[in-house]
Every structure is written in C-alpha cells, then in structure tokens.
Amino acid sequence: MVNLEWFRTFKAIYETGTLTGAAEALYVSQPGVSLHLSSLESYVGYKLFDRTSRKMVSTERGKILYNYIQESLCKLEEAERHFHKTAEKEKPTISIGMCFETFQFTLESYLPTLDFNVIIKFGDYPQMLSDLDNGILDLIITPQKGDYKGLVYTPFLRRE
C-alpha cells in the first residue's frame, strides 16, 4: 500500500524543483524527502525525476503522476484545514530531535492523537545534543546515552 506522505513529498519536489525546497516546504529533513521519493519510485516501478546538479526535472511518468494526484492532494489539504479541531486557546508546542527511522517506527502514527503541536528535527546525536543545549530542542530521542551533565535519560523502549 502506498503511503500518502510519499505523494505529498513527490508533489512538493515537483513544485519546488529541489529536494531541499521540498524539505523546507514540508518541514522535514532532506534525507527524509529522499527516502520518501525512493520509496515511491520503488512502489511505482519508475523513475519520477531526473536528477541534475541543481534541480530535479520531472520525467514524463512523473508529469503524469503529478497530474493524477495534485488536485486530490489539494482537496485533502483543504479538508484538513477546514476540519482541523480548533481550540479556545493555542496548543502548546514541543520540539523533538531524533533520527528519521526512530520517528517512523515510534512517533509518526501517534501524531494525530496528540493534544499538542510537535516540531520534529532530524539529525545525528552530537547535533541534537547541541540543539538541546542551545534551547532549539526540548527533547531528544536517541539510542545513545552520553555523559552529558544536567540531562535526564529515561528509556522508553528496550529491544531484547
């Protein structure tokens, strides 16, 4: 079954012309955008973009796919905006750092059920620690436990 996020990512790449532009538009990491695109290309069995040094150029099959999905995705995004539950007061926001795979397997499916906003920043452990120290992140989820004074490490999952 195809993941709807793959289509949203494909549409963003098509419209921005770059992986970086799509990542910025979707508020995800560039490696996450690349992963979605390669997953979609594997699923459909065709190359959807020709990669140049500065741009992603749609193939003919990519143009056909875009024409099939763009109107439907726009309608879904409009429905999301229209039916999104509004609160009397602003929802709190938490910034979390983690690797993309951890996000996919532990948090992604729970996002719609949370009663607060989540900003996810994907990265590696040293950068996440630095961002946590500088106040950019509120929390990091990582398989590594470092010797960083002042941090509380709480395991939430153990693999046997």
Side-chain angles (χ1 to χ4, degrees), residues 4-138:
L4 184 59
E5 288 304 308
W6 297 349
F7 285 140
R8 289 184 65 201
T9 302
F10 168 78
K11 180 179 174 270
I13 296 168
Y14 188 95
E15 292 174 352
T16 64
T18 66
L19 296 174
T20 302
E24 290 170 0
L26 297 170
Y27 301 103
V28 298
S29 69
Q30 190 271 331
V33 169
S34 294
L35 179 65
H36 281 186
L37 177 58
S38 65
S39 297
L40 181 60
E41 287 179 329
S42 293
Y43 181 82
V44 298
Y46 301 107
K47 190 170 150 183
L48 299 171
F49 291 97
D50 289 318
R51 291 135 174 95
T52 67
S53 60
R54 297 183 190 265
K55 229 179 141 157
M56 300 289 283
V57 179
S58 178
T59 62
E60 287 304 312
R61 291 189 187 266
K63 290 175 186 174
I64 293 168
L65 178 61
Y66 178 80
N67 288 327
Y68 268 104
I69 67 166
Q70 77 88 16
E71 185 178 338
S72 297
L73 283 175
C74 287
K75 284 184 180 181
L76 286 171
E77 289 166 355
E78 183 180 328
E80 179 184 20
R81 283 189 299 277
H82 182 73
F83 289 101
H84 186 270
K85 180 173 67 174
T86 57
E88 302 255 334
K89 57 185 180 177
E90 192 171 315
K91 289 168 47 171
T93 300
I94 185 169
S95 297
I96 304 173
M98 66 182 71
C99 72
F100 184 74
E101 292 76 18
T102 301
F103 170 73
Q104 278 190 306
F105 294 111
T106 62
L107 185 61
E108 184 175 29
S109 63
Y110 295 101
L111 285 179
T113 65
L114 300 176
D115 60 351
F116 52 89
N117 295 317
V118 178
I119 298 171
I120 305 291
K121 183 171 183 190
F122 301 112
D124 56 9
Y125 182 67
Q127 181 62 48
M128 286 190 284
L129 271 178
S130 175
D131 289 346
L132 186 65
D133 194 38
N134 292 325
I136 297 170
L137 296 174
D138 300 311

